[in-house]
Amino acid sequence: MAAVQPYGKVINIGDMEEQKKEQWESSVHGDYSKVDAFIPIEARVLPADAEELKSRVSTDLLQAEFKDLPEHDDRLLSAWLRMLNAKLDAILSLLEKEREEFCHMPHLSVELSGGGICLPFAAPAAPGDRVEMKMMLPVAPPVALYIYGKAVKAEQGRLWVNFSPMDEEIRDRLIHYVFLRQREIFRELRENRRSVE
């Protein structure tokens, strides 16, 4: 039988606060690795009666250049190709409009993982609010995402959001970015250490 210890481990209030903070963060990030990042992002609290939306990739921001081709000899085929071209122009125009929206978002310091995010947020919010986030992951090529989640905590101008269930493809993109960012941070630390030596 184990002897009863007369004294337990002494925990000061600062440690307890830190422990509590870690519990909050772990409820947002779960088992996912988190990373500090500076990314273009906008967030808003959705109205209570807003329909349930699913996280999605907006568009991969590709830049392409197309040259005009000569007219085809077959007039019917040519008419079809012109019609298809007009439809593609309309689609590209919509994508371009969306791309511009993403390109003009403010860059904010966030803490991001595959499970959630903590970001600066000035508007009123409360635990349980549903949140829509537009963010652009700075990878090559950049990935624009609409992500949805539920607010866990709002405090001191920051909002903690737990991501709603999403397709694995979307979560993989987030995890991939976190991995790249971690690698970048390690590389910076290594270079700083070398410059000090």
Side-chain angles (χ1 to χ4, degrees), residues 35 47 51 68 71 94 101 104 127 136 146 150 161 166 176:
V35 71
E51 65 176 296
D68 288 333
E71 282 285 321
L94 285 173
E101 281 178 27
H104 291 97
M136 189 147 70
Y146 283 92
K150 194 172 275 188
V161 181
M166 61 181 72
H176 178 67

Side-chain angles (χ1 to χ4, degrees), residues 11 30-31 34 65 84 90 93 99 113 130 149 164 166 174 182 185:
I11 300 174
D31 294 333
K34 62 183 177 182
E65 189 176 316
L84 286 175
S93 169
R99 188 183 75 88
S113 74
R130 287 189 299 141
S164 299
M166 61 181 72
L174 289 167
Q182 282 177 330
I185 290 169

Side-chain angles (χ1 to χ4, degrees), residues 5-196:
Q5 297 293 326
Y7 302 105
K9 185 183 172 190
V10 177
I11 300 174
N12 66 41
I13 299 298
D15 289 342
M16 286 175 70
E17 289 299 320
E18 192 59 37
Q19 210 171 23
K20 213 187 285 181
K21 185 182 166 199
E22 283 175 9
Q23 282 172 355
W24 271 112
E25 289 176 355
S26 66
S27 69
V28 169
H29 299 294
D31 294 333
Y32 296 98
S33 297
K34 62 183 177 182
V35 71
D36 291 328
F38 190 62
I39 60 171
I41 183 168
E42 276 182 357
R44 69 182 180 115
V45 171
L46 293 170
D49 58 351
E51 65 176 296
E52 200 69 39
L53 295 169
K54 214 171 165 192
S55 297
R56 66 185 191 281
V57 174
S58 170
T59 174
D60 287 340
L61 305 178
L62 297 173
Q63 293 181 339
E65 189 176 316
F66 301 101
K67 292 180 181 172
D68 288 333
L69 295 173
E71 282 285 321
H72 197 278
D73 291 338
D74 186 328
R75 287 185 177 192
L76 183 60
L77 180 60
S78 219
W80 273 96
L81 290 174
R82 276 199 300 275
M83 186 189 69
L84 286 175
N85 197 38
K87 286 185 176 181
L88 287 172
D89 281 347
I91 292 168
L92 289 173
S93 169
L94 285 173
L95 291 176
E96 179 64 20
K97 191 178 166 193
E98 200 170 53
R99 188 183 75 88
E100 283 177 9
E101 281 178 27
F102 276 87
C103 288
H104 291 97
M105 291 189 301
H107 281 67
L108 301 177
S109 290
V110 303
E111 188 182 271
L112 177 69
S113 74
I117 190 169
C118 171
L119 73 158
F121 195 74
D129 283 346
R130 287 189 299 141
V131 181
E132 178 188 70
M133 290 151 287
K134 283 196 300 185
M135 68 175 79
M136 189 147 70
L137 301 179
V139 293
V143 177
L145 298 171
Y146 283 92
I147 303 288
Y148 297 90
K150 194 172 275 188
V152 174
K153 184 174 75 163
E155 195 177 276
Q156 297 178 341
R158 293 188 75 80
L159 182 67
W160 283 256
V161 181
N162 198 333
F163 295 150
S164 299
M166 61 181 72
D167 290 343
E168 282 306 305
E169 183 208 344
I170 310 290
R171 201 178 301 277
D172 285 349
R173 288 180 184 245
L174 289 167
I175 292 169
H176 178 67
Y177 170 69
V178 169
F179 170 73
L180 292 177
R181 178 71 186 127
Q182 282 177 330
R183 203 168 61 174
E184 188 183 321
I185 290 169
F186 287 139
R187 191 169 49 240
E188 285 171 6
L189 287 172
R190 199 169 50 235
E191 285 170 5
N192 287 341
R193 205 175 302 137
R194 279 181 191 157
S195 66
V196 170

